[in-house]
Amino acid sequence: RRRAAKFGVNIRNQIQPRSHVYVLDVASRQARRLTRDSTYSVTSFTVSNDAKYIGYSGTPDDRSHRGTTEERNTADIYLMEVATGKIERLTNNVEVAEGAVSFSPDGSTIAYTAADEFKMMHLSKIYLRSIGGGAWRKIGKDCDCNVTIGWWSDDSKTIYFNEGVKATNQLMSIDVASGKVTQLTKELASVNVSRDEATGRVLINYTDPVTPASVYTVGSLAQVGTKTSWTRLTNPNPQVDGFALGEEAEITWKSKDGTMVGGVLVKPV
């Protein structure tokens, strides 16, 4: 009716049905609803390895929040014990987005990422605690970088993540007990490492000034820092090997406030 009357107003953030978490019994094909709070919609969730817990993000069921670019900033994270249906609200922040709930492989610890001290525009850090409760502990506070959760080691003692270092991207690790961050790769390139959950295979997405984005694999994480031990799986643009390309180099200089910053110098062929 608005269109027919040439009333050119587009409706944004229309009322939407609430989304919730269900569990489906594959054998009986019976579904059961797990979350029922009418004040929010579940926008994402993760399940612990033993399937005893579900961590999820609840976004306020408000048209001024849902469907906007700031939607994640208004959401909070929750923890549900599947057997009892007990739900614990883990955060209560208005303008700071939290990452997804992450469970350690041994089922003892939960963790998530958020801006340091929950202040906007601050570098992200990891907050973790026992799955049964207790005080949250922040790790990675001494690293001038975004500390995130890529994947856990099998023994739950280490978390791996990718982060930018000057003009490159590298694989990092953080010791859960001490909070110490270690740079594992030191390539003059963009390196993005992941691990396949089903097989445990380590995959490396790699590109540098003369190598188009390609996928590599390596026998173990202990070898990821040695490029000569990688096996190349893809070579999507082999014709680039015949191109005359100018040399590129990472350079560092001092900014006005004394901070050392990095960039890439591209030279003519």
Side-chain angles (χ1 to χ4, degrees), residues 35-216:
T35 58
R36 296 185 175 276
D37 196 311
S38 61
T39 62
Y40 59 73
S41 281
V42 177
T43 48
S44 63
F45 68 92
T46 54
V47 183
S48 63
N49 287 0
D50 57 13
K52 293 181 178 180
Y53 291 90
I54 296 175
Y56 63 88
S57 177
T59 301
D61 193 51
D62 185 326
R63 290 173 63 185
S64 65
H65 292 134
R66 294 190 62 194
T68 68
T69 55
E70 296 83 18
E71 181 179 76
R72 288 184 63 247
N73 294 352
T74 62
D76 281 296
I77 52 176
Y78 298 76
L79 179 69
M80 167 184 279
E81 186 177 31
V82 177
T84 64
K86 178 183 176 182
I87 295 175
E88 178 188 2
R89 184 171 183 165
L90 301 178
T91 61
N92 190 6
N93 301 306
V94 177
E95 295 183 340
V96 176
E98 302 89 6
V101 176
S102 180
F103 298 92
S104 63
D106 64 7
S108 67
T109 306
I110 53 174
Y112 67 92
T113 59
D116 195 3
E117 299 302 321
F118 304 99
K119 295 180 180 179
M120 294 181 65
M121 304 303 291
H122 280 215
L123 294 170
S124 62
K125 305 300 175 186
I126 296 176
Y127 295 82
L128 48 78
R129 65 156 225 211
S130 168
I131 199 168
W136 292 96
R137 181 168 59 93
K138 179 175 68 176
I139 59 174
K141 59 184 178 180
D142 295 328
C143 181
D144 185 21
C145 63
N146 283 304
V147 182
T148 56
I149 303 172
W151 75 92
W152 296 72
S153 61
D154 292 335
D155 62 7
S156 302
K157 294 181 179 180
T158 307
I159 295 174
Y160 299 92
F161 63 98
N162 297 284
E163 172 61 345
V165 178
K166 294 184 180 179
T168 69
N169 292 311
Q170 308 293 341
L171 176 66
M172 320 286 278
S173 69
I174 182 167
D175 183 85
V176 173
S178 68
K180 180 183 177 182
V181 174
T182 302
Q183 182 177 331
L184 300 180
T185 57
K186 297 181 180 179
E187 301 294 326
L188 294 177
S190 176
V191 179
N192 190 288
V193 184
S194 61
R195 188 181 69 169
D196 180 69
E197 290 186 5
T199 64
R201 173 73 69 180
V202 177
L203 297 173
I204 304 167
N205 282 277
Y206 176 93
T207 183
D208 65 25
V210 296
T211 308
S214 303
V215 180
Y216 295 75

